[in-house]
Amino acid sequence: MRDFDVIVYGATGFTGRLVAEYLVSRGATRWAMAGRSRAKLAEVRDLIGAPADTALIVANADDPASLAAMVAQTRVVVTTVGPYQLYGGALVAACAAAGTDYVDLCGEPAWMRQMIDAHHAAAQASGARIVFSCGFDSIPFDLGVLTLQDHARARYGIPAPRVKGRVRTMKGGFSGGTAASLKATLAAAAREPSLLKLLASPFALTPGFSGPHQPLGLLPEYDGSLNAWVAPFIMAPINTKSVHRTNFLLGHPYGTDFVYDEMLVAGLGDMGKAAAEAIAKLNPLASDKGPKPGEGPSKEERETGHYDLLFVGLMPDGARIDTVVTGDRDPGYGSTSKMIAESALCLLKTESAGGVWTPGAVMGAPLRDRLQARAGLNFATG
Ligand SMILES: NC(=O)c1ccc[n+]([C@@H]2O[C@H](COP(=O)([O-])OP(=O)(O)OC[C@H]3O[C@@H](n4cnc5c(N)ncnc54)[C@H](OP(=O)(O)O)[C@@H]3O)[C@@H](O)[C@H]2O)c1
């Protein structure tokens, strides 16, 4: 019996604080806030209206003993201490050793692969479920494809060999932590060019398996399935890898010849083409003028944000299945904080083997149902 069900590690950060606030709003009891400064944790606890007796745990990412002591007290750790490639490795190791479940918001695929190689076996042995990418990247994409493929198999007896993920709308901003994570990935690739190959591979997270050639999605193009122009989507290199890992971990229910890409819908006709070309040249996270760690979109931006994703499944006989995933709140923070908190709560109710998982592979339909019932997501297939 452990003291807590959930510890939110990084509760003083921009996203961690939202996760803690969400747990308070849900009336969570067996939980604690953790971070590297007790004074800052106490300040945030009072600011978010958490009960005064909410437990506060001090653990520094540079101090493995403090991490081991923290993870021994809980069934699951929710961590928003990022960039993960700078601060996350010792925590994954501690959870894998202690049999403690772990969920994060990682969008750093080279580090994820290193963690799979280093800790998958230990997590299998201890029973720890390590689940990366429990936010906007990659849950709506991972579960969107899973939902479409469930329908394809039920309706046609086979999975769709080709699925297109298309972001129709996405309203929201980004935080300092997200900008720092992308910059850390670029800096690591500049230091170690071999990482570029891993980052470019859609199968970077499926050790020992490579499927067919996948569309690169690097240039604007006209998409005949939508009659619209589409542009490169900044999160595609992360999500597509997670979708292929879900297929891999589940024994390839989408087939070993599965082809998947993600692009942003830019618009129709000449205007759509011009917009797609402009988007392809843009990199909003590259500027130094963006938010600093601890900063992110305002409450109003979070509450008025939303997203709408279309997944188009193309069957060999020409039939088509559409799955639409929508979410209230801005994708990166308002919706993400609900998704990661609900992932932790869902994991507590899910029996499965230990290992390094994806949300879709380890929680699948129960997580989808929970997000629809409690977190403002909707999944519709026609
Ligand atoms: N996948 C998604 O959809 C998604 C969405 C949102 C965020 N994210 C990711 O989530 C992460 C957090 O983003 P954010 O904007 O919330 O970042 P942030 O505001 O900078 O928060 C970072 C947190 O890490 C803590 N921290 C830093 N160094 C530490 C150390 N040595 N030991 C212990 N704690 C330490 C900070 O503590 P102090 O307060 O003491 O500085 C803070 O609590 C990033 O990696 C970002 O990419 C992903």
Side-chain angles (χ1 to χ4, degrees):
M1 190 63 185
R2 301 200 178 187
D3 292 344
F4 305 109
D5 285 340
V6 179
I7 288 178
V8 180
Y9 184 47
T12 55
F14 185 78
T15 319
R17 178 180 157 154
L18 296 175
V19 177
E21 248 176 309
Y22 180 74
L23 289 177
V24 172
S25 76
R26 283 282 166 199
T29 50
R30 288 174 41 79
W31 75 292
M33 295 167 61
R36 59 180 163 175
S37 154
R38 182 176 297 279
K40 203 168 170 187
L41 283 167
E43 192 186 324
V44 172
R45 176 194 59 198
D46 297 342
L47 275 171
I48 64 174
D53 61 356
T54 304
L56 307 179
I57 297 170
V58 177
N60 195 305
D62 305 328
D63 175 5
S66 69
L67 298 174
M70 175 176 74
V71 307
Q73 298 177 64
T74 187
R75 292 174 66 198
V76 53
V77 175
V78 173
T79 173
T80 58
V81 175
Y84 295 94
Q85 62 196 289
L86 302 184
Y87 308 125
L91 180 62
V92 175
C95 287
T100 301
D101 293 337
Y102 164 109
V103 295
D104 77 9
L105 295 176
C106 187
E108 301 159 53
W111 178 80
M112 285 151 70
R113 174 57 189 266
Q114 286 164 6
M115 293 299 105
I116 292 168
D117 291 346
H119 303 299
H120 185 62
Q124 283 179 313
S126 72
R129 280 93 50 94
I130 309 293
V131 193
F132 297 135
S133 309
C134 293
F136 183 64
D137 39 324
S138 300
I139 283 183
F141 301 88
D142 192 10
L143 294 183
V145 175
L146 191 88
T147 301
L148 186 147
Q149 295 291 23
D150 284 350
H151 280 270
R153 282 198 310 279
R155 206 178 291 172
Y156 301 105
I158 53 168
R162 170 76 172 110
V163 175
K164 298 177 174 189
R166 297 292 179 257
V167 180
R168 295 198 291 199
T169 46
M170 195 174 99
K171 183 168 176 282
F174 61 91
S175 70
T178 297
S181 297
L182 185 77
K183 282 175 193 158
T185 295
L186 297 176
R191 275 195 312 274
E192 208 180 323
S194 65
L195 289 181
L196 282 174
K197 206 169 152 209
L198 199 65
L199 290 168
S201 167
F203 299 100
L205 304 183
T206 60
F209 173 80
S210 276
H213 176 75
Q214 306 285 313
L216 296 177
L218 298 175
L219 295 171
E221 63 184 51
Y222 183 76
D223 186 338
S225 316
L226 281 80
N227 294 322
W229 282 85
V230 294
F233 174 45
I234 193 165
M235 285 160 181
I238 301 159
N239 296 328
T240 51
K241 291 176 183 45
S242 294
V243 166
H244 284 298
R245 182 162 173 82
T246 292
N247 190 27
F248 169 80
L249 289 170
L250 293 176
H252 292 110
Y254 313 162
T256 51
D257 57 351
F258 176 59
V259 176
Y260 177 65
D261 69 340
E262 283 173 12
M263 298 198 80
L264 198 68
V265 179
L268 309 177
D270 289 344
M271 296 272 281
K273 184 177 183 197
E277 282 164 358
I279 291 167
K281 289 187 192 128
L282 207 73
N283 183 352
L285 296 176
S287 151
D288 278 335
K289 296 196 184 102
K292 303 277 170 291
E295 300 172 357
S298 69
K299 190 168 193 284
E300 198 205 333
E301 284 171 306
R302 296 195 306 270
E303 287 179 355
T304 57
H306 53 86
Y307 52 91
D308 177 314
L309 315 173
L310 169 68
F311 298 87
V312 179
L314 302 174
M315 303 304 293
D317 65 359
R320 164 176 170 162
I321 303 176
D322 285 3
T323 294
V324 175
V325 181
T326 56
D328 66 356
R329 307 284 170 92
D330 74 305
Y333 306 92
S335 183
T336 282
S337 55
K338 295 192 281 185
M339 284 190 271
I340 190 172
E342 291 295 347
S343 297
L345 299 175
C346 187
L347 211 46
L348 290 170
K349 296 192 179 301
T350 309
E351 301 249 323
S352 54
V356 180
W357 288 96
T358 59
V362 72
M363 292 176 276
L367 179 60
R368 179 181 60 215
D369 296 345
R370 178 177 269 273
L371 294 175
Q372 293 201 110
R374 296 163 59 106
L377 274 81
N378 189 58
F379 294 76
T381 302

